[in-house]
Amino acid sequence: MGHFTVPAWPRPAPNALRNLQAVLESGRWSLPGPWQGHASAEARFAAHFADFLGAPHCVPTTNGSSALVVAMEALDVGVGDEVIVPGLTWVANASTVLAVNATPVMVDIDPSTLCASPTAIEAAVTERTRAIVVVHLFSSVVDLDAVLAIGERHGIPVIEDCSHAHGASWRGRRVGTWGTVGTFSMQEKKLLTSGEGGAVVCRDPDLADRMFQLRSDGRRLAARPVEGESELVADCSVAGTNYCMSELCAAVLDAQLEALPEQNLRRAENAATVDKLLQELPGLAPVRALPSVTERTYYQYAVRIDREAFGGVTAETVSRALAAETGLPFQTPYPPMYRHPLHRPRTKRRFLLVGRDPSRLDGPAGGLPETERAHREVLTLHHSVLLAPAGAFETLPAAIEKLQQQAGSLRAVESAR
């Protein structure tokens, strides 16, 4: 197979430069800047993103991590509390819990979706559980019916982390609008991006007001803004932090949002093509979405391998060999959270507070078997690959068959590492 040319990402949407130029010449580059007699770029993006999701309220933030912090602070998560998080996800899902002085409780995944297992979530609930954070991972959506039922049964709010799922839908409604709060990241690799950025969405107007203040140093929008003066006023009911999105990021996101539906459609079409190409091969099984997922998005295309078909080696060895053979940037999933090199809670004294058992910061004592297995058996491809022209993947099966035939060489490579 000839080497694959991966489409560039990020790529500017057609109106991105126009939007940026308007902000650059506006005299207002940040939300606290002087009001110019019209809605800020941030307010316009918030309205458009809320409309896209079908969410009554959207509050932009600096990034996805600050969105999670704002969501948890708004729900009054703090010292002595526990927050349930998946064991397979980016490290911020644990570090943000620690940042609000609560304890992340890592749970195992459902092997069919790679998302948090509802059974594991239920088993992890204690009298200290203050929130459940679920992540719609890679190209899947967690079993929202089961998770929301757990939350309702125990009176625990559910936070949907949709950083991988801009535009995905469950039973005809966008993810992020099912839980108490939905959070999004717009970091450079995401489906919707301005380099950095984030957002929180919800249905409760009082919760939205609280989240707005929490990310605006406690300030609210003035009822009657004065041109040339800041639109934010110190009319606060809660102490906040400055997590405001810049006007430049908001301008880019507003343009990128216009391009998102067509890009998501293109990714889904190419993912279906890859599914068909792989279905006849032994030893590979694309990760499927649950039947209730009515619109699927692909932050990463994920496929599980039968290691025996590749000589018993791990997904890491297969991913490196496939990347060398094809030019496709195959990777393995995140390592389990408790083994992630960036999960280092003991390096910050502020995470070791009275009322918290320090040993619990390191994750479950017995590990998480399905999370560990996914790291050994799953291959992923970044969504930019799925923006390639039709027909770009036709020779992928031959490359995979070649590796399977060279299983002995794969074993030797793995043994040498």
Side-chain angles (χ1 to χ4, degrees):
M1 176 178 179
H3 271 234
F4 188 96
T5 300
V6 179
W9 190 264
R11 59 171 69 172
N15 290 326
L17 286 176
R18 180 202 67 184
N19 288 5
L20 272 175
Q21 187 73 21
V23 168
L24 288 171
E25 296 174 353
S26 70
R28 183 183 189 180
W29 289 11
S30 70
L31 186 64
W35 187 57
Q36 302 298 318
H38 53 75
S40 65
E42 196 223 46
R44 291 194 296 272
F45 167 69
H48 294 157
F49 193 50
D51 183 64
F52 171 75
L53 296 173
H57 308 284
C58 171
V59 179
T61 63
T62 50
N63 49 49
S65 295
S66 58
L68 285 165
V69 169
V70 165
M72 286 184 279
E73 287 185 337
L75 296 172
D76 206 26
V77 177
V79 176
D81 294 334
E82 296 176 352
V83 177
I84 295 172
V85 300
L88 183 66
T89 183
W90 178 241
V91 67
N93 287 108
S95 62
T96 53
V97 176
L98 293 164
V100 298
N101 299 321
T103 299
V105 177
M106 303 169 199
V107 298
D108 214 350
I109 60 169
D110 178 340
S112 66
T113 65
L114 306 180
C115 298
S117 158
T119 301
I121 290 172
E122 180 86 66
V125 172
T126 72
E127 68 279 359
R128 289 191 168 192
T129 305
R130 188 75 176 198
I132 298 168
V133 176
V134 293
V135 179
H136 304 307
L137 195 75
F138 297 156
S139 59
S140 292
V141 173
V142 75
D143 186 341
L144 277 169
D145 292 348
V147 172
L148 292 172
I150 294 168
E152 184 174 357
R153 191 156 54 247
H154 296 280
I156 301 170
V158 173
I159 299 171
E160 293 180 75
D161 183 339
C162 309
S163 297
H164 293 186
H166 306 73
S169 294
W170 177 268
R171 298 190 186 280
R173 197 167 103 197
R174 301 284 196 203
V175 300
T177 67
W178 290 87
T180 308
V181 181
T183 71
F184 292 82
S185 167
M186 283 73 164
Q187 182 265 351
E188 178 159 326
K189 291 185 177 181
K190 299 304 191 293
L191 299 171
L192 177 65
T193 181
S194 55
E196 289 291 356
V200 286
V201 300
C202 69
R203 295 185 169 276
D204 184 329
D206 293 332
L207 185 60
D209 177 57
R210 182 174 171 86
M211 291 194 294
F212 188 99
Q213 294 177 72
L214 283 166
R215 67 87 207 228
S216 306
D217 282 324
R219 293 172 290 183
R220 287 187 170 107
L221 289 175
R224 293 184 178 84
V226 176
E227 192 163 351
E229 297 182 8
S230 176
E231 194 176 3
L232 295 179
V233 293
D235 175 23
C236 64
S237 61
V238 59
T241 307
N242 182 9
Y243 293 138
C244 292
M245 178 182 287
S246 80
E247 288 291 274
L248 297 167
C249 282
V252 172
L253 284 172
D254 214 23
Q256 300 303 116
L257 183 59
E258 295 173 12
L260 180 64
E262 188 278 329
Q263 290 174 345
N264 276 345
L265 179 60
R266 177 69 169 276
R267 294 181 186 107
E269 290 172 346
N270 271 335
T273 296
V274 177
D275 282 349
K276 290 178 183 177
L277 291 172
L278 298 185
Q279 68 183 1
E280 301 300 326
L281 294 176
L284 294 110
V287 172
R288 304 295 183 188
L290 295 172
S292 295
V293 178
T294 46
E295 185 172 352
R296 190 177 185 186
T297 56
Y298 290 83
Y299 172 63
Q300 288 180 328
Y301 181 90
V303 59
R304 188 181 290 271
I305 65 169
D306 178 349
R307 293 174 60 191
E308 292 307 308
F310 294 88
V313 300
T314 63
E316 182 179 1
T317 298
V318 175
S319 69
R320 291 185 181 189
L322 269 177
E325 181 71 24
T326 65
L328 287 165
F330 281 98
Q331 294 181 314
T332 54
Y334 310 112
M337 182 76 77
Y338 44 86
R339 290 200 290 107
H340 199 294
L342 300 182
H343 179 64
R344 299 290 179 89
R346 293 175 181 269
T347 64
K348 289 190 175 181
R349 290 184 62 205
R350 67 188 178 97
F351 291 164
L352 305 175
L353 296 178
V354 174
R356 194 204 313 263
D357 178 359
S359 67
R360 299 201 64 196
L361 301 179
D362 300 321
L368 302 172
E370 289 299 339
T371 299
E372 294 279 359
R373 189 163 75 91
H375 190 60
R376 295 192 300 268
E377 296 182 358
V378 174
L379 304 174
T380 69
L381 279 171
H382 184 251
H383 66 83
S384 57
V385 172
L386 298 177
L387 294 175
F393 307 94
E394 294 299 327
T395 56
L396 179 58
I400 293 171
E401 288 177 325
K402 179 180 176 181
L403 290 188
Q404 291 177 342
Q405 292 163 6
Q406 296 175 347
S409 298
L410 292 178
R411 287 195 298 271
V413 168
E414 186 164 283
S415 298
R417 284 210 309 268

